[in-house]
Amino acid sequence: MTGLTHFDDDGRPHMVDVGAKDTTARKAVASGTVTMSAATLDLLKEGSTKGDVIGVATLAGIMGAKRTADLIPLCHPLPLNTVDVVITPDDELPGVRIIGTTKTNSKTGVEMEALTAVSTAALTVYDMLKAVDRSMVLGSIQLEAKEGGKSGTWTRPNDTSATV
């Protein structure tokens, strides 16, 4: 299976051998959104009996990034230098925008950790607000940029990027 590194020549899944790769500084940024009713967004911004939704979802995103290798079968466990999750209310969605940034010094990239941080934060927002709005939509979870490693820097082209 040409080009798919998680499959061997016989099509069997395998964990990519990164042993010969150089350890380099690596960074990834991912984004996503949770759209909801304007009333639900107002509730989130005002606070509720469930407490600080953004604070809890931020911590969940950080915890999710740290557990990526436990969730994604062929993902390497990485020593993370930092995980940053920023959740911003956006009246125009209406909803929240989530940015997850991960950094490491390792032999493989941290894209999956950034994507997992955003996904976990978005799921937590949904979980905490579902009692008042089950129609929320998690969307546009995507890699925005990555740095480091053999392939260098990659940034999502502007014409296909969600607004973050």
Side-chain angles (χ1 to χ4, degrees):
M1 301 203 128
T2 306
L4 298 177
T5 58
H6 288 94
F7 294 97
D8 67 15
D9 291 338
D10 296 322
R12 293 180 306 226
H14 74 106
M15 192 171 197
V16 175
D17 183 353
V18 298
K21 292 174 115 183
D22 291 331
T23 296
T24 61
R26 295 162 184 269
K27 175 183 176 181
V29 179
S31 68
T33 61
V34 180
T35 56
M36 59 192 69
S37 72
T40 302
L41 180 58
D42 287 342
L43 181 65
L44 177 141
K45 291 190 300 186
E46 294 167 9
S48 72
T49 58
K50 285 205 174 204
D52 180 9
V53 173
I54 290 176
V56 173
T58 298
L59 288 174
I62 293 167
M63 292 173 66
K66 292 167 46 176
R67 300 296 302 263
T68 300
D70 293 331
L71 300 169
I72 310 299
L74 300 175
C75 211
H76 291 84
L78 297 179
L80 294 172
N81 294 345
T82 189
V83 178
D84 185 42
V85 176
V86 177
I87 303 172
T88 308
D90 184 336
D91 291 329
E92 291 183 24
L93 280 175
V96 296
R97 296 188 180 278
I98 305 167
I99 302 290
T101 304
T102 52
K103 294 180 184 178
T104 190
N105 291 73
S106 189
K107 294 180 177 217
T108 190
V110 287
E111 296 93 342
M112 294 307 299
E113 287 74 9
L115 289 162
T116 301
V118 170
S119 300
T120 307
L123 287 165
T124 302
V125 168
Y126 186 96
D127 181 50
M128 295 190 72
L129 296 173
K130 71 181 183 281
V132 296
D133 186 357
R134 293 191 189 275
S135 67
M136 290 178 285
V137 176
L138 285 60
S140 301
I141 296 172
Q142 59 193 21
L143 184 67
E144 295 295 336
K146 62 81 75 191
E147 297 173 7
K150 183 178 168 184
S151 64
T153 299
W154 177 88
T155 302
R156 177 169 295 286
N158 289 335
D159 61 343
T160 62
S161 178
T163 305
V164 284

